[in-house]
Amino acid sequence: MPISLRVFSIDKLSLSLYNFLIFRIIKLKIMKKVILPMIAIIVSFNVLAGSGGPDTFGYTWVDSNDPNGPTYSWIDITPFGKKIFGLGDDNVVGPFSVANNFLYYWYTLSEFYVGSNGYVSFGNINIASPFPSIPDSLDGKHNFVAGMMCDLNFTGSGNPGECFYVNLGDSLIVSWIDVPFWDQAAGYTGANSFQIIFRAQDRSITINYKDQTGLTQNNDITVGIENVSGNIGLQHSKDTYPISGYSIKYEYPANPSLLVTDGSANWNGNKRNGAIFLPYPSDSISLTTNIANLGNQDISPFTVTGFVRNSSGNIVVNSSINTLDTMTPGQDTTITFPNGFTSPAAGTYSYVTEVSGIANDASASNDSTIQEIISVDTSFANISLSYTDNMNESEISWAGGSGGIGVYFEPPYYPSKIVNTTFLISNNLSNSTFYAKIYDDDGFNGSPGTLLDSVFVDAGQINIGVKTTVQTANPVTVYNGGFYVMWDMNGPDIALAYDMTPPFSFRCYEVFNNIWAEYRDIESTDFFITAGIEKAIIDDIGVPQAGSPANGSTITAPVPVACWIKNYGQAAASNFMINYQMEGSTVVSESYAGTAIQPGDSAYFTFATQLAVNTDTTGNLCIWSEMLNDFDNSNDTTCITVTIDAPNVSVNELEAGNWKLEVFPNPSDGKFELRILNNEFKNGKVTVYNVLGEKIFQSALNNNQSTIDLKSHPKGTYILHLLVGDKAHIRKIITL
């Protein structure tokens, strides 16, 4: 899906970044808000014999029109292949396993991702319009095979597009079936069926084109392969439509002779290189980095330098490590620098890692990496979380007036209460509206999950050129992890501002039809979306100690279960659950609804349901609290060891001193006769419990014979408890 962008200023950029951005801007200018009628000549693959290459590594391609090329042969995997779900407009899904490790360039692939826009990648990268030429070492999107990389769309009512994959023999096959192009007016148009086949035996890559109809914006189509660093690749064609019944085969070099030495700084802090918010003042944080050998040659020990710069460019931390061991091809390692980072003041910092001292390093573009660190003064009651430098340098507006931008935040403290969000709207030519939404990160692998808040913002509430603040409609408190803030367009010609000055957060997403994807230019963009937070009151209830039964005790009859409850939080607490479970038995849950427990105080709680005595066992009796948004789960539970000595129930007659107890018939239909054979008996009490320890029957005994009627209770096993003076007698009885 195309976007409309405008670039305002680059006067703050360094010369090297300026050159990079000029390259990007030239590419972005071809993107149109409105698609013009296509009256240009449409170019299709040459029907004459074709071949190309080699690239620097030695890959060549040959097509089905060449006498030495492949014969077009479509493999239908739809009856038995695995359907790939979750593809939409401009997104990527995966990873999936490669059953037969496939040698691509000089490295082996074990997993892959599928892009909705017609490519297979070997990392989680989202490639969207405008599509790059191959190779391109500057765009941050490498390591892929572009079968028909163009603006395809799986969304929209009635869209026939599907995608399947299968590991079949020595081959991996990925097929796009009847996938249309994105279209601004209709949503989608045309249909394209093509597949990519990776054969492990000869290391070849074949692309089959079964059917192709329709046109895409600007005829923007790329076909080709690109390596992990982006400095080597072989493009088959650009801005050209494939013909039906056509094949291209990429052939692995017979004797690859390219020697590649390539050390890389992969990421800082976390695998996404994602920005972090650091509380100020705070303790020192460790500076970690991951480095890798992306070449096919061993790399002798080299130097890894890490330093942190403030927003003025001054270095506040500098540390380096000399690697001790040789790194083999494909190896990566995570290291921690000797010096940590303690923020000297609130502000934005750049944590940079550089590798150096590698002879004949093939790619300088991956020798360094940057993580953004934002130190926020947490002494203030309210703070704003933002990745931008407050300079509006460009804007984005999705064509068609639907779509959105999301930004991920991890707050500097917990619990954090989100009180507002802000958006810098730079244009609103059609007086459109939008929704401000907040999502939990409880989706798959930390993706957007539960919608926590949604606020409609009318055109009259929007401030053009300055920040529009939106108060949350519902209280949103974050106890761990993070959250996503989304700007959701609700009409055309409304534009959100963004910043192009490094460092960048790598926390931005594009959203269309509720499908989230990493923003296409995530390596050079941060959006003017801010979250306002404040410290939330902590709710924290726990069970520090059991009260009954005693730890290590032996139980022969149902006994009460009790515990101490402590309020570790900052607010009075009541109306929460307390539970216990004897190892191997069912959970007993009851509500504490007594007097509210004040912060720091404790209360003694006794369960109404006693601990049942059913089967001989020794195990843990655990008691725990359960409270919504409980801050610290580590103090919720206490456990003791208890031995249960169940009564012997194989006989129906029990002798005790000079008298006998009889219960008959047992089993019965629910009615039992109890008889005490002793003329001196005066009185007693009989109680019956179910297997959960709940009292279901109780009666006083004033003579030596009584009837127990359990017909109104479910069939099963019960425990009869007879108390005579200071002696207790227990019997298991069964109703059938």
Side-chain angles (χ1 to χ4, degrees), residues 548-549 558-562 579-580 586-590 605-612 621 689-695:
S548 172
V559 297
V561 177
N579 316 276
Y580 79 79
T586 57
V587 175
V588 175
S589 299
E590 296 183 8
F605 177 79
T606 302
F607 288 87
T609 303
Q610 294 186 321
L611 178 62
L621 171 63
Y689 299 91
N690 63 18
V691 293
L692 297 177
E694 298 168 333
K695 185 192 304 181

PDB file of all heavy atoms in Angstrom, residues 548-549 558-562 579-580 586-590 605-612 621 689-695:
ATOM      1  N   SER A 548      -2.720 -23.102  59.926  1.00  0.00           N
ATOM      2  CA  SER A 548      -3.224 -24.433  60.253  1.00  0.00           C
ATOM      3  C   SER A 548      -3.412 -25.196  58.952  1.00  0.00           C
ATOM      4  O   SER A 548      -3.854 -24.621  57.954  1.00  0.00           O
ATOM      5  CB  SER A 548      -4.561 -24.334  60.992  1.00  0.00           C
ATOM      6  OG  SER A 548      -5.144 -25.610  61.162  1.00  0.00           O
ATOM      7  N   PRO A 549      -3.050 -26.482  58.951  1.00  0.00           N
ATOM      8  CA  PRO A 549      -2.412 -27.270  60.010  1.00  0.00           C
ATOM      9  C   PRO A 549      -0.941 -26.902  60.159  1.00  0.00           C
ATOM     10  O   PRO A 549      -0.414 -26.113  59.375  1.00  0.00           O
ATOM     11  CB  PRO A 549      -2.588 -28.704  59.511  1.00  0.00           C
ATOM     12  CG  PRO A 549      -2.626 -28.574  58.022  1.00  0.00           C
ATOM     13  CD  PRO A 549      -3.325 -27.282  57.739  1.00  0.00           C
ATOM     14  N   PRO A 558     -10.660 -34.495  59.025  1.00  0.00           N
ATOM     15  CA  PRO A 558     -10.725 -33.164  58.417  1.00  0.00           C
ATOM     16  C   PRO A 558     -10.362 -32.079  59.421  1.00  0.00           C
ATOM     17  O   PRO A 558     -10.815 -32.094  60.569  1.00  0.00           O
ATOM     18  CB  PRO A 558     -12.188 -33.055  57.972  1.00  0.00           C
ATOM     19  CG  PRO A 558     -12.618 -34.467  57.750  1.00  0.00           C
ATOM     20  CD  PRO A 558     -11.918 -35.267  58.807  1.00  0.00           C
ATOM     21  N   VAL A 559      -9.508 -31.137  58.986  1.00  0.00           N
ATOM     22  CA  VAL A 559      -9.057 -30.059  59.859  1.00  0.00           C
ATOM     23  C   VAL A 559      -9.204 -28.731  59.125  1.00  0.00           C
ATOM     24  O   VAL A 559      -9.189 -28.676  57.895  1.00  0.00           O
ATOM     25  CB  VAL A 559      -7.582 -30.253  60.280  1.00  0.00           C
ATOM     26  CG1 VAL A 559      -7.416 -31.516  61.099  1.00  0.00           C
ATOM     27  CG2 VAL A 559      -6.671 -30.267  59.064  1.00  0.00           C
ATOM     28  N   PRO A 560      -9.333 -27.640  59.872  1.00  0.00           N
ATOM     29  CA  PRO A 560      -9.391 -26.322  59.235  1.00  0.00           C
ATOM     30  C   PRO A 560      -8.050 -25.969  58.588  1.00  0.00           C
ATOM     31  O   PRO A 560      -6.989 -26.379  59.053  1.00  0.00           O
ATOM     32  CB  PRO A 560      -9.709 -25.376  60.401  1.00  0.00           C
ATOM     33  CG  PRO A 560     -10.227 -26.250  61.491  1.00  0.00           C
ATOM     34  CD  PRO A 560      -9.546 -27.561  61.329  1.00  0.00           C
ATOM     35  N   VAL A 561      -8.114 -25.186  57.500  1.00  0.00           N
ATOM     36  CA  VAL A 561      -6.931 -24.627  56.857  1.00  0.00           C
ATOM     37  C   VAL A 561      -6.970 -23.122  57.075  1.00  0.00           C
ATOM     38  O   VAL A 561      -7.994 -22.474  56.820  1.00  0.00           O
ATOM     39  CB  VAL A 561      -6.894 -24.948  55.350  1.00  0.00           C
ATOM     40  CG1 VAL A 561      -5.689 -24.292  54.688  1.00  0.00           C
ATOM     41  CG2 VAL A 561      -6.864 -26.456  55.127  1.00  0.00           C
ATOM     42  N   ALA A 562      -5.868 -22.555  57.570  1.00  0.00           N
ATOM     43  CA  ALA A 562      -5.823 -21.127  57.868  1.00  0.00           C
ATOM     44  C   ALA A 562      -4.452 -20.574  57.497  1.00  0.00           C
ATOM     45  O   ALA A 562      -3.468 -21.315  57.374  1.00  0.00           O
ATOM     46  CB  ALA A 562      -6.119 -20.874  59.343  1.00  0.00           C
ATOM     47  N   ASN A 579      -6.661 -19.270  48.089  1.00  0.00           N
ATOM     48  CA  ASN A 579      -6.801 -20.643  47.616  1.00  0.00           C
ATOM     49  C   ASN A 579      -5.882 -21.577  48.393  1.00  0.00           C
ATOM     50  O   ASN A 579      -4.843 -21.150  48.906  1.00  0.00           O
ATOM     51  CB  ASN A 579      -6.425 -20.740  46.133  1.00  0.00           C
ATOM     52  CG  ASN A 579      -6.996 -19.619  45.297  1.00  0.00           C
ATOM     53  OD1 ASN A 579      -8.124 -19.678  44.852  1.00  0.00           O
ATOM     54  ND2 ASN A 579      -6.201 -18.570  45.080  1.00  0.00           N
ATOM     55  N   TYR A 580      -6.282 -22.857  48.452  1.00  0.00           N
ATOM     56  CA  TYR A 580      -5.330 -23.858  48.926  1.00  0.00           C
ATOM     57  C   TYR A 580      -5.511 -25.133  48.123  1.00  0.00           C
ATOM     58  O   TYR A 580      -6.568 -25.393  47.541  1.00  0.00           O
ATOM     59  CB  TYR A 580      -5.456 -24.110  50.433  1.00  0.00           C
ATOM     60  CG  TYR A 580      -6.589 -25.013  50.883  1.00  0.00           C
ATOM     61  CD1 TYR A 580      -6.493 -26.407  50.787  1.00  0.00           C
ATOM     62  CD2 TYR A 580      -7.741 -24.482  51.462  1.00  0.00           C
ATOM     63  CE1 TYR A 580      -7.519 -27.231  51.225  1.00  0.00           C
ATOM     64  CE2 TYR A 580      -8.768 -25.295  51.903  1.00  0.00           C
ATOM     65  CZ  TYR A 580      -8.652 -26.675  51.778  1.00  0.00           C
ATOM     66  OH  TYR A 580      -9.665 -27.499  52.204  1.00  0.00           O
ATOM     67  N   THR A 586      -7.901 -31.353  44.376  1.00  0.00           N
ATOM     68  CA  THR A 586      -8.470 -30.197  43.695  1.00  0.00           C
ATOM     69  C   THR A 586      -8.204 -28.919  44.490  1.00  0.00           C
ATOM     70  O   THR A 586      -7.934 -28.955  45.692  1.00  0.00           O
ATOM     71  CB  THR A 586      -9.986 -30.371  43.507  1.00  0.00           C
ATOM     72  OG1 THR A 586     -10.593 -30.577  44.792  1.00  0.00           O
ATOM     73  CG2 THR A 586     -10.285 -31.553  42.608  1.00  0.00           C
ATOM     74  N   VAL A 587      -8.295 -27.774  43.795  1.00  0.00           N
ATOM     75  CA  VAL A 587      -8.067 -26.472  44.412  1.00  0.00           C
ATOM     76  C   VAL A 587      -9.335 -26.025  45.138  1.00  0.00           C
ATOM     77  O   VAL A 587     -10.447 -26.150  44.618  1.00  0.00           O
ATOM     78  CB  VAL A 587      -7.672 -25.425  43.354  1.00  0.00           C
ATOM     79  CG1 VAL A 587      -7.545 -24.039  43.977  1.00  0.00           C
ATOM     80  CG2 VAL A 587      -6.364 -25.827  42.679  1.00  0.00           C
ATOM     81  N   VAL A 588      -9.162 -25.497  46.336  1.00  0.00           N
ATOM     82  CA  VAL A 588     -10.255 -24.890  47.098  1.00  0.00           C
ATOM     83  C   VAL A 588     -10.052 -23.377  47.060  1.00  0.00           C
ATOM     84  O   VAL A 588      -8.986 -22.878  47.438  1.00  0.00           O
ATOM     85  CB  VAL A 588     -10.278 -25.394  48.554  1.00  0.00           C
ATOM     86  CG1 VAL A 588     -11.345 -24.660  49.354  1.00  0.00           C
ATOM     87  CG2 VAL A 588     -10.504 -26.898  48.588  1.00  0.00           C
ATOM     88  N   SER A 589     -11.039 -22.634  46.569  1.00  0.00           N
ATOM     89  CA  SER A 589     -10.942 -21.181  46.430  1.00  0.00           C
ATOM     90  C   SER A 589     -12.061 -20.508  47.208  1.00  0.00           C
ATOM     91  O   SER A 589     -13.228 -20.887  47.075  1.00  0.00           O
ATOM     92  CB  SER A 589     -11.028 -20.774  44.953  1.00  0.00           C
ATOM     93  OG  SER A 589      -9.979 -21.329  44.209  1.00  0.00           O
ATOM     94  N   GLU A 590     -11.695 -19.512  48.005  1.00  0.00           N
ATOM     95  CA  GLU A 590     -12.676 -18.739  48.762  1.00  0.00           C
ATOM     96  C   GLU A 590     -12.294 -17.266  48.711  1.00  0.00           C
ATOM     97  O   GLU A 590     -11.137 -16.917  48.471  1.00  0.00           O
ATOM     98  CB  GLU A 590     -12.756 -19.236  50.211  1.00  0.00           C
ATOM     99  CG  GLU A 590     -13.252 -20.675  50.316  1.00  0.00           C
ATOM    100  CD  GLU A 590     -13.397 -21.153  51.757  1.00  0.00           C
ATOM    101  OE1 GLU A 590     -13.258 -20.315  52.678  1.00  0.00           O
ATOM    102  OE2 GLU A 590     -13.640 -22.357  51.951  1.00  0.00           O
ATOM    103  N   PHE A 605      -6.816 -15.628  58.238  1.00  0.00           N
ATOM    104  CA  PHE A 605      -7.952 -16.100  57.442  1.00  0.00           C
ATOM    105  C   PHE A 605      -8.099 -17.605  57.606  1.00  0.00           C
ATOM    106  O   PHE A 605      -7.123 -18.350  57.486  1.00  0.00           O
ATOM    107  CB  PHE A 605      -7.736 -15.760  55.968  1.00  0.00           C
ATOM    108  CG  PHE A 605      -8.820 -16.257  55.053  1.00  0.00           C
ATOM    109  CD1 PHE A 605     -10.022 -15.579  54.943  1.00  0.00           C
ATOM    110  CD2 PHE A 605      -8.639 -17.413  54.303  1.00  0.00           C
ATOM    111  CE1 PHE A 605     -11.025 -16.033  54.094  1.00  0.00           C
ATOM    112  CE2 PHE A 605      -9.631 -17.879  53.454  1.00  0.00           C
ATOM    113  CZ  PHE A 605     -10.831 -17.185  53.352  1.00  0.00           C
ATOM    114  N   THR A 606      -9.329 -18.063  57.894  1.00  0.00           N
ATOM    115  CA  THR A 606      -9.632 -19.486  58.011  1.00  0.00           C
ATOM    116  C   THR A 606     -10.622 -19.874  56.929  1.00  0.00           C
ATOM    117  O   THR A 606     -11.680 -19.246  56.786  1.00  0.00           O
ATOM    118  CB  THR A 606     -10.220 -19.823  59.387  1.00  0.00           C
ATOM    119  OG1 THR A 606      -9.287 -19.433  60.409  1.00  0.00           O
ATOM    120  CG2 THR A 606     -10.502 -21.314  59.510  1.00  0.00           C
ATOM    121  N   PHE A 607     -10.282 -20.891  56.157  1.00  0.00           N
ATOM    122  CA  PHE A 607     -11.169 -21.373  55.102  1.00  0.00           C
ATOM    123  C   PHE A 607     -12.394 -22.045  55.719  1.00  0.00           C
ATOM    124  O   PHE A 607     -12.295 -22.745  56.736  1.00  0.00           O
ATOM    125  CB  PHE A 607     -10.449 -22.383  54.207  1.00  0.00           C
ATOM    126  CG  PHE A 607      -9.416 -21.778  53.300  1.00  0.00           C
ATOM    127  CD1 PHE A 607      -8.113 -21.586  53.745  1.00  0.00           C
ATOM    128  CD2 PHE A 607      -9.739 -21.407  52.009  1.00  0.00           C
ATOM    129  CE1 PHE A 607      -7.155 -21.043  52.917  1.00  0.00           C
ATOM    130  CE2 PHE A 607      -8.787 -20.858  51.169  1.00  0.00           C
ATOM    131  CZ  PHE A 607      -7.491 -20.667  51.624  1.00  0.00           C
ATOM    132  N   ALA A 608     -13.542 -21.851  55.092  1.00  0.00           N
ATOM    133  CA  ALA A 608     -14.755 -22.546  55.533  1.00  0.00           C
ATOM    134  C   ALA A 608     -14.688 -24.027  55.191  1.00  0.00           C
ATOM    135  O   ALA A 608     -15.272 -24.866  55.885  1.00  0.00           O
ATOM    136  CB  ALA A 608     -15.982 -21.908  54.881  1.00  0.00           C
ATOM    137  N   THR A 609     -13.977 -24.359  54.124  1.00  0.00           N
ATOM    138  CA  THR A 609     -13.840 -25.751  53.687  1.00  0.00           C
ATOM    139  C   THR A 609     -12.608 -26.370  54.328  1.00  0.00           C
ATOM    140  O   THR A 609     -11.489 -25.882  54.142  1.00  0.00           O
ATOM    141  CB  THR A 609     -13.720 -25.830  52.158  1.00  0.00           C
ATOM    142  OG1 THR A 609     -14.861 -25.204  51.566  1.00  0.00           O
ATOM    143  CG2 THR A 609     -13.634 -27.270  51.696  1.00  0.00           C
ATOM    144  N   GLN A 610     -12.822 -27.445  55.088  1.00  0.00           N
ATOM    145  CA  GLN A 610     -11.709 -28.081  55.781  1.00  0.00           C
ATOM    146  C   GLN A 610     -10.892 -28.956  54.833  1.00  0.00           C
ATOM    147  O   GLN A 610     -11.339 -29.321  53.746  1.00  0.00           O
ATOM    148  CB  GLN A 610     -12.234 -28.919  56.951  1.00  0.00           C
ATOM    149  CG  GLN A 610     -12.869 -28.094  58.062  1.00  0.00           C
ATOM    150  CD  GLN A 610     -13.248 -28.948  59.251  1.00  0.00           C
ATOM    151  OE1 GLN A 610     -13.727 -30.069  59.097  1.00  0.00           O
ATOM    152  NE2 GLN A 610     -13.031 -28.423  60.447  1.00  0.00           N
ATOM    153  N   LEU A 611      -9.683 -29.284  55.268  1.00  0.00           N
ATOM    154  CA  LEU A 611      -8.823 -30.184  54.515  1.00  0.00           C
ATOM    155  C   LEU A 611      -9.368 -31.594  54.622  1.00  0.00           C
ATOM    156  O   LEU A 611      -9.512 -32.138  55.724  1.00  0.00           O
ATOM    157  CB  LEU A 611      -7.392 -30.123  55.053  1.00  0.00           C
ATOM    158  CG  LEU A 611      -6.375 -31.064  54.395  1.00  0.00           C
ATOM    159  CD1 LEU A 611      -6.207 -30.732  52.920  1.00  0.00           C
ATOM    160  CD2 LEU A 611      -5.034 -30.982  55.117  1.00  0.00           C
ATOM    161  N   ALA A 612      -9.716 -32.200  53.481  1.00  0.00           N
ATOM    162  CA  ALA A 612     -10.334 -33.522  53.470  1.00  0.00           C
ATOM    163  C   ALA A 612      -9.311 -34.612  53.750  1.00  0.00           C
ATOM    164  O   ALA A 612      -8.118 -34.464  53.467  1.00  0.00           O
ATOM    165  CB  ALA A 612     -11.004 -33.766  52.122  1.00  0.00           C
ATOM    166  N   LEU A 621       1.042 -28.887  51.013  1.00  0.00           N
ATOM    167  CA  LEU A 621      -0.208 -28.141  51.109  1.00  0.00           C
ATOM    168  C   LEU A 621       0.156 -26.680  50.863  1.00  0.00           C
ATOM    169  O   LEU A 621       0.876 -26.072  51.658  1.00  0.00           O
ATOM    170  CB  LEU A 621      -0.848 -28.309  52.484  1.00  0.00           C
ATOM    171  CG  LEU A 621      -2.056 -27.406  52.779  1.00  0.00           C
ATOM    172  CD1 LEU A 621      -3.209 -27.716  51.828  1.00  0.00           C
ATOM    173  CD2 LEU A 621      -2.500 -27.537  54.230  1.00  0.00           C
ATOM    174  N   TYR A 689     -18.782 -35.807  56.030  1.00  0.00           N
ATOM    175  CA  TYR A 689     -18.133 -34.846  55.128  1.00  0.00           C
ATOM    176  C   TYR A 689     -18.047 -35.452  53.727  1.00  0.00           C
ATOM    177  O   TYR A 689     -17.904 -36.675  53.569  1.00  0.00           O
ATOM    178  CB  TYR A 689     -16.705 -34.523  55.591  1.00  0.00           C
ATOM    179  CG  TYR A 689     -16.622 -33.890  56.963  1.00  0.00           C
ATOM    180  CD1 TYR A 689     -16.478 -34.677  58.104  1.00  0.00           C
ATOM    181  CD2 TYR A 689     -16.664 -32.508  57.105  1.00  0.00           C
ATOM    182  CE1 TYR A 689     -16.388 -34.101  59.360  1.00  0.00           C
ATOM    183  CE2 TYR A 689     -16.571 -31.924  58.364  1.00  0.00           C
ATOM    184  CZ  TYR A 689     -16.432 -32.716  59.490  1.00  0.00           C
ATOM    185  OH  TYR A 689     -16.338 -32.139  60.727  1.00  0.00           O
ATOM    186  N   ASN A 690     -18.109 -34.571  52.706  1.00  0.00           N
ATOM    187  CA  ASN A 690     -17.821 -35.058  51.354  1.00  0.00           C
ATOM    188  C   ASN A 690     -16.312 -35.053  51.134  1.00  0.00           C
ATOM    189  O   ASN A 690     -15.538 -34.677  52.030  1.00  0.00           O
ATOM    190  CB  ASN A 690     -18.562 -34.240  50.289  1.00  0.00           C
ATOM    191  CG  ASN A 690     -18.131 -32.784  50.253  1.00  0.00           C
ATOM    192  OD1 ASN A 690     -17.076 -32.418  50.766  1.00  0.00           O
ATOM    193  ND2 ASN A 690     -18.955 -31.938  49.650  1.00  0.00           N
ATOM    194  N   VAL A 691     -15.867 -35.434  49.923  1.00  0.00           N
ATOM    195  CA  VAL A 691     -14.433 -35.581  49.677  1.00  0.00           C
ATOM    196  C   VAL A 691     -13.709 -34.242  49.652  1.00  0.00           C
ATOM    197  O   VAL A 691     -12.477 -34.196  49.704  1.00  0.00           O
ATOM    198  CB  VAL A 691     -14.185 -36.334  48.352  1.00  0.00           C
ATOM    199  CG1 VAL A 691     -14.646 -37.766  48.447  1.00  0.00           C
ATOM    200  CG2 VAL A 691     -14.842 -35.611  47.186  1.00  0.00           C
ATOM    201  N   LEU A 692     -14.446 -33.128  49.559  1.00  0.00           N
ATOM    202  CA  LEU A 692     -13.829 -31.807  49.613  1.00  0.00           C
ATOM    203  C   LEU A 692     -13.703 -31.286  51.033  1.00  0.00           C
ATOM    204  O   LEU A 692     -13.205 -30.180  51.254  1.00  0.00           O
ATOM    205  CB  LEU A 692     -14.634 -30.806  48.771  1.00  0.00           C
ATOM    206  CG  LEU A 692     -14.710 -31.092  47.273  1.00  0.00           C
ATOM    207  CD1 LEU A 692     -15.589 -30.062  46.584  1.00  0.00           C
ATOM    208  CD2 LEU A 692     -13.318 -31.105  46.660  1.00  0.00           C
ATOM    209  N   GLY A 693     -14.164 -32.094  52.013  1.00  0.00           N
ATOM    210  CA  GLY A 693     -14.109 -31.656  53.396  1.00  0.00           C
ATOM    211  C   GLY A 693     -15.296 -30.817  53.814  1.00  0.00           C
ATOM    212  O   GLY A 693     -15.296 -30.238  54.906  1.00  0.00           O
ATOM    213  N   GLU A 694     -16.326 -30.736  52.958  1.00  0.00           N
ATOM    214  CA  GLU A 694     -17.507 -29.943  53.284  1.00  0.00           C
ATOM    215  C   GLU A 694     -18.480 -30.769  54.126  1.00  0.00           C
ATOM    216  O   GLU A 694     -18.767 -31.929  53.812  1.00  0.00           O
ATOM    217  CB  GLU A 694     -18.187 -29.467  51.996  1.00  0.00           C
ATOM    218  CG  GLU A 694     -17.299 -28.562  51.146  1.00  0.00           C
ATOM    219  CD  GLU A 694     -17.868 -28.336  49.763  1.00  0.00           C
ATOM    220  OE1 GLU A 694     -18.616 -29.224  49.285  1.00  0.00           O
ATOM    221  OE2 GLU A 694     -17.565 -27.293  49.156  1.00  0.00           O
ATOM    222  N   LYS A 695     -18.994 -30.153  55.179  1.00  0.00           N
ATOM    223  CA  LYS A 695     -19.932 -30.832  56.069  1.00  0.00           C
ATOM    224  C   LYS A 695     -21.299 -30.927  55.390  1.00  0.00           C
ATOM    225  O   LYS A 695     -21.861 -29.928  54.960  1.00  0.00           O
ATOM    226  CB  LYS A 695     -20.055 -30.054  57.373  1.00  0.00           C
ATOM    227  CG  LYS A 695     -20.928 -30.728  58.422  1.00  0.00           C
ATOM    228  CD  LYS A 695     -21.236 -29.771  59.560  1.00  0.00           C
ATOM    229  CE  LYS A 695     -19.969 -29.224  60.189  1.00  0.00           C
ATOM    230  NZ  LYS A 695     -20.279 -28.300  61.310  1.00  0.00           N
TER     231      LYS A 695
END
